[in-house]
Amino acid sequence: MLRITGGKVYDPANGIDGVVKDISIADGRIVAAVDGGRVIDARGMIVFPGGVDIHTHVAGAALNFARAMTPENHRQATAFLHTPERRAGLGGQTPTTFATGYLYAGMGYTTVVEAAVPILSAKHTHEELRDTPIVDKGCCVLMANNEIVLDLLEAGEIERAKEVVAWLIWAAKGYGVKAVNPGGVTAWKWGKDAKTLSEPVVGYSNVTPAKIIASLAHIVDQLGLPHPLHLHCNNLGVPGNVATTLETMKVLEGNRAHMAHLQFHSYGGADWHTMRSEAAAIAEYFNAHPNLTCDAGAILFGNAVTITADGPWQHLLHQLTGKKWGNLDVENETGCGIVPYTYKGSNLVNAVQWAVGLELLLLIDDPWRVFLTTDHPNGACFWRYPEIIHLLMHADVRRERVKKLPAKAQSRTTLGDLDREYSLLDIATITSAGPARALGLANKGRLGIGADADLAIYNEKPDGELLFRYPRYVIKGGEIVVEEGEIRKMSEGREFIVQPTYDGAIEEYLRPLFQQYYTMSFENYPVELERLEGADVRQLDGHG
Amino acid sequence: MITLTLKERTAVPLEAESLSPDVTANLSCDAVRALPVLLGKHPYRVDEFFDVEGEAGDELAIRGDAGNVKWIGRGMTRGKIAVEGNAGMHLGAYMKGGTIEVSANASDWVGAEMSGGSIHIHGNAGGQIGAGYRGSPKGMTGGTVIVDGAAGLEVGMRMRRGIIVVRGPVRDFAGLQMKGGSIFLLGGAELRTGAWMIRGTIVTLKEVPLLPTFAHDYDGNPVFMRLMARHLQALGISIPCEPHEGTYQCHSGDSAVPGRGEILVWRPVG
Amino acid sequence: MGGKVTCTLGEIKNRADFIVYWGGNPAECHPRHFTKYTLTQKGKFVPNGRKDRTMVLVDIRETPSARAADIFLQIKPGKDFEILTTLRALVKGHRVNEASVAETGLSIEQLRDLADRMKQARFGVIFFGMGLSMTRGKHMNSAAVLMLAAELNAFTKFVTMPMRGHGNVTGSDMVMRWSTGYPFGVSLCRGYPRFNPGEFSTVDLLVRGDVDAALVLGADPGATMPQPGIDHLARIPTIVLDPKVTHTSRLARVHITTAATGISAPGTVYRMDEIPLPLRPALVSPYPTDEEVIRRIREAVAKKPAWAQRPAAMAPTN
């Protein structure tokens, strides 16, 4: 039992905006009142629902590949020393699993969604998530280049495709469905890409990226998944991709969708020299279409590691930069590419990218539909979120930074003209309440009675440090996990999983295909539920 | 000057980056005695392994067989370390300035990723002199390393600037992925010298086998060799450069990268 | 510079029309590789199986694998790095010194032909074995294959994969990476992970005598290490966990017999392409599993006082 008294509470889900009120906790939940237990005196502090990261890459084959590729980054990373309470690890661009838990919790985040999970290696992802302490977790499963699904779309068998998608989600023990560069990753297996939405994907005659997007969004809604289709659009990172992104959003009309790392998809211009921000055009369309949510995918200057299932983009980036390149194609399903990257303020392209991320966060009106992310570790490391929050809350700081950009870059963005400043309530919305709602996690991102007792408590006026960087207390599931900047308890998080309804007969359809195309026996493909620790299974009854 | 005398060679390596003038300069002898070193996983005090004498200053002398003592002079920026005996791995790694002199042998990673200062090994050295640590984009970016004896693998791996001189023979992959700077091999090298080099110069006074991806460019006595010879003369190293003594056969490569590095092989007259 | 371009084995089964084995003898060392993944399988985009694929074997001697190959290239020992580096240049159309090519055992025509075939492949792969990665040049030989394959992607689709074996070496590599950031050669002496192959890799630690105790799990270094390393294992307290008597267990101070993983103990094994597979035991063993033994050792160790009393002294700064 625990009581937090005297803090200013920010709880957007309940319309509470900086009201001083007590919060009582018992059995891991927020309750009306408790009798006895510890009391935290939170006077001079602000109380937030624990952060929810809707899009991050913290576990699995691709990230583990990146770790092996970048020992030079690890040598400069924050070292987590082994103690009786804590495992050893490294922070940096691609933190080790234990360090990932400590770093998220140490920033006040208590729920994270690993955004790109191949089914074939999902066992590996879950093994890593099991070694990621404190935070609760969920997975988005890669589907938009799954050739069994694509073959069904080619044949016009949308009903069977839906059964297959449902089966695959459960096989991977996933929470949502992710689409990355629909059709483009499949094409990459022949060294090609999918650059337009309306042309057939390499190897198909009826399947276009548009068809994949529309079909998957429809299937996800039909299955009643709590989180809509989680979409990484075609043409990521390419100047002029605003046209593709707008066209994609039109294709999504009538369905829900979450547009991932929208910053990387909001560029105008014809090439790298003429690249400019089109955040305003994207935001205008987005504001008028409430079926959509998005996360920023903002970048910050400094070192990053780009990791994405978007193989062709990564090969291009490798050729442009001459940096190391890792590529891992996953049979019949997806792929991934890895290129370490440094964003520089003096570079025109990087400067525009930096501005676009902030512009989107400021130009999209509704904080319930745009969420704070850096597409970790692609745009910046997640542990740098407080730097972005600082920029969102202070227009003057932004303007000073804009002035330091190359003159050409300044003329390609409107960031310096934007006066909007985020309030604390807005910050609580984009970091917690909003993403929790978009994920359909009813007990996260709020501080009302019955909610999970995940809270972060910060000094209202931190002494010379960025607000939100070092919480005074972080409470996860009712336990104090961080106190005075130190990890105090290494609790285990839960994993959220959905079990959609499907006809068991679909296995008889899949089995022979599987034996033909895969190199693993069908029985070994699904992730065993026992493999997961703290599985929190939600059964869905939606069936068409 | 502070003098540290190793009482006996430890069974497992001792990690002692606190043995640097930057750390000891303003410390009393007692404070130096209390500095931390690590034996395996356990932290200890310096005086549990060394007899410490003398007064604070910019100079440090280490006596005894310190072949198992790692990280001496790590990141030092000034002053002098004289090792009278052997030195362990990573001697002078990340060094920015000052000098290190070793009377006997040093191990691997001498001057790794150093950016300035000079290191002189009177005996043999191990591999990876002036190299970049695994995964790093570049090795040493400045400074000088001189080895009077032989050296090991990957000498000057990914170095960007600076000078490495080895009087004795070196093993494979000297100048691997070199990006700039100069390596002088007075005693020649084994295989794959200059493999994957991008830029930079390797001068060898003995014949070395060349990769097929190096092409013969010209024979001659380039002016820059004369300048180099004068610079090295000041360091006590003589390099031939006069036409009456012989010529340099210059090869460019590595065309696999493709790179524009040079390997100059000395051909004495007669 | 650096990195790796690879895929899972099913990609090769479904797509590869050009398969190179380099410094390995799959016919004898990975006997099911040809039939399960590479040569004879009919794949989605290579419907005629063996007929749709070309296989090249590069090795220093004619092993039984040569019988399976369309092209066998016999090279001189220790020339792998030279040949791979030459191929990198040829693929990109850069000049090479033809006189020194001859020393590799292959002619310039053979190398040009190989480079052309690689570029003309629709989907190519190089599998490389210990004949490459454990001979003179070692990690740089592997790096040369990785670079060649990566650069070929400017022309066509090309990937590479090491032919790993020896139990679950890939699995160990994976767990080390997510828990320490590094795949092998990791030291935790300072309370956090540090990486330096050559300094912290097992063979180097043992050969130099830098460790004063050893725990051996799932390996038999007593059979494979250089003699000074074996001598050191015999000198120090060595503990072996193994279902059977091994070269190492014979020289060890303690041998704990454990259940054989995959036969009588469950677990997860990672394939050479880093895909995990569940192991389902068929038999019951009277012996504890490796995991159980390690867990009990850890519990006993945890009762001792923590060793890192002065953490501030532990972390150096660059």
Side-chain angles (χ1 to χ4, degrees), chain A residues 97 101 156 249 254 263 414 431 441:
Chain A
T97 52
M249 293 198 284
Q263 179 276 128
T414 58
T431 59
L441 292 170

Side-chain angles (χ1 to χ4, degrees), chain C residues 47-75:
Chain C
N48 303 310
R50 184 66 185 88
K51 284 198 208 83
D52 288 339
R53 312 190 201 249
T54 303
M55 173 183 155
V56 179
L57 179 73
V58 184
D59 209 342
I60 57 165
R61 69 179 79 85
E62 192 169 340
T63 63
S65 297
R67 278 201 298 278
D70 298 296
I71 300 169
F72 170 56
L73 297 173
Q74 186 163 4
I75 65 170

Side-chain angles (χ1 to χ4, degrees), chain A residues 38-170:
Chain A
R38 183 172 165 183
V39 178
I40 291 177
D41 178 0
R43 280 175 298 176
M45 300 180 205
I46 52 178
V47 181
F48 272 54
V52 177
D53 199 335
I54 199 167
H55 185 107
T56 183
H57 302 282
V58 291
L63 193 85
N64 221 27
F65 196 141
R67 290 186 184 114
M69 263 176 66
T70 54
E72 69 279 18
N73 286 351
H74 305 331
R75 277 196 290 275
Q76 292 165 16
T78 306
F80 286 81
L81 296 175
H82 166 88
T83 69
E85 299 79 32
R86 206 173 70 185
R87 293 278 295 259
L90 295 171
Q93 277 77 42
T94 51
T96 57
T97 52
F98 296 98
T100 297
Y102 305 146
L103 283 164
Y104 263 118
M107 192 174 66
Y109 270 63
T110 47
T111 305
V112 301
V113 173
E114 162 54 54
V117 179
I119 305 154
L120 190 66
S121 58
K123 292 183 195 73
H124 172 183
T125 310
H126 289 293
E127 292 207 300
E128 285 200 30
L129 290 177
R130 208 167 96 165
D131 275 357
T132 307
I134 303 177
V135 292
D136 288 338
K137 293 143 293 203
C139 290
C140 287
V141 184
L142 291 159
M143 295 272 185
N145 294 281
N146 186 303
E147 287 162 26
I148 292 179
V149 174
L150 264 49
D151 289 352
L152 287 169
L153 298 184
E154 175 88 354
E157 294 199 55
I158 187 86
E159 275 306 308
R160 185 172 271 165
K162 192 180 83 189
E163 295 290 313
V164 169
V165 168
W167 187 87
L168 289 172
I169 294 169
W170 179 242

Side-chain angles (χ1 to χ4, degrees), chain C residues 56-307:
Chain C
V56 179
L57 179 73
V58 184
D59 209 342
I60 57 165
R61 69 179 79 85
E62 192 169 340
T63 63
S65 297
R67 278 201 298 278
D70 298 296
I71 300 169
F72 170 56
L73 297 173
Q74 186 163 4
I75 65 170
K76 290 202 176 142
K79 291 294 179 188
D80 305 81
F81 183 84
E82 282 71 9
I83 293 169
L84 288 161
T85 298
T86 304
L87 283 169
R88 282 181 62 196
L90 290 175
V91 159
K92 285 180 275 190
H94 298 306
R95 62 182 181 169
V96 300
N97 181 338
E98 299 191 8
S100 58
V101 166
E103 295 167 16
T104 63
L106 299 182
S107 68
I108 185 76
E109 288 74 27
Q110 282 175 302
L111 287 179
R112 285 224 169 88
D113 178 60
L114 180 56
D116 288 343
R117 284 173 187 270
M118 285 174 160
K119 284 163 77 170
Q120 281 158 19
R122 206 161 52 134
F123 186 115
V125 56
I126 307 174
F127 290 100
F128 58 101
M130 298 212 292
L132 182 86
S133 59
M134 297 305 281
T135 54
R136 187 164 179 175
K138 291 195 173 177
H139 62 280
M140 288 311 299
N141 293 348
S142 307
V145 175
L146 302 184
M147 288 299 291
L148 174 63
E151 289 173 354
L152 278 162
N153 282 274
F155 306 96
T156 186
K157 184 79 189 178
F158 226 97
V159 298
T160 182
M161 197 182 296
M163 295 287 283
R164 301 183 86 171
H166 292 274
N168 196 7
V169 57
T170 308
S172 151
D173 187 300
M174 300 301 276
V175 177
M176 290 283 274
R177 276 195 238 164
W178 83 59
S179 54
T180 73
Y182 306 114
F184 54 84
V186 179
S187 166
L188 291 160
C189 271
R190 289 198 173 217
Y192 69 96
R194 288 182 302 161
F195 170 69
N196 200 18
E199 181 178 10
F200 300 135
S201 25
T202 315
V203 58
D204 300 281
L205 289 171
L206 288 170
V207 166
R208 277 197 309 271
D210 280 355
V211 291
D212 55 7
L215 179 102
V216 180
L217 181 61
D220 190 8
T224 54
M225 275 213 177
Q227 196 58 43
I230 295 172
D231 293 345
H232 193 69
L233 275 175
R235 207 156 36 226
I236 59 177
T238 294
I239 305 161
V240 171
L241 272 56
D242 209 293
K244 55 196 183 305
V245 172
T246 65
H247 289 89
T248 319
S249 76
R250 285 199 189 92
L251 53 82
R253 215 69 70 82
V254 178
H255 175 195
I256 301 173
T257 306
T258 52
T261 303
I263 297 171
S264 46
T268 301
V269 66
Y270 281 76
R271 297 196 312 209
M272 64 168 72
D273 59 354
E274 305 185 348
I275 293 298
L277 286 172
L279 295 175
R280 302 197 177 88
L283 302 172
V284 177
S285 169
Y287 299 108
T289 64
D290 291 331
E291 190 183 358
E292 167 74 7
V293 173
I294 295 289
R295 193 178 54 74
R296 283 163 63 180
I297 293 174
R298 272 199 56 190
E299 282 169 6
V301 170
K303 290 186 187 132
K304 300 196 164 199
W307 51 266

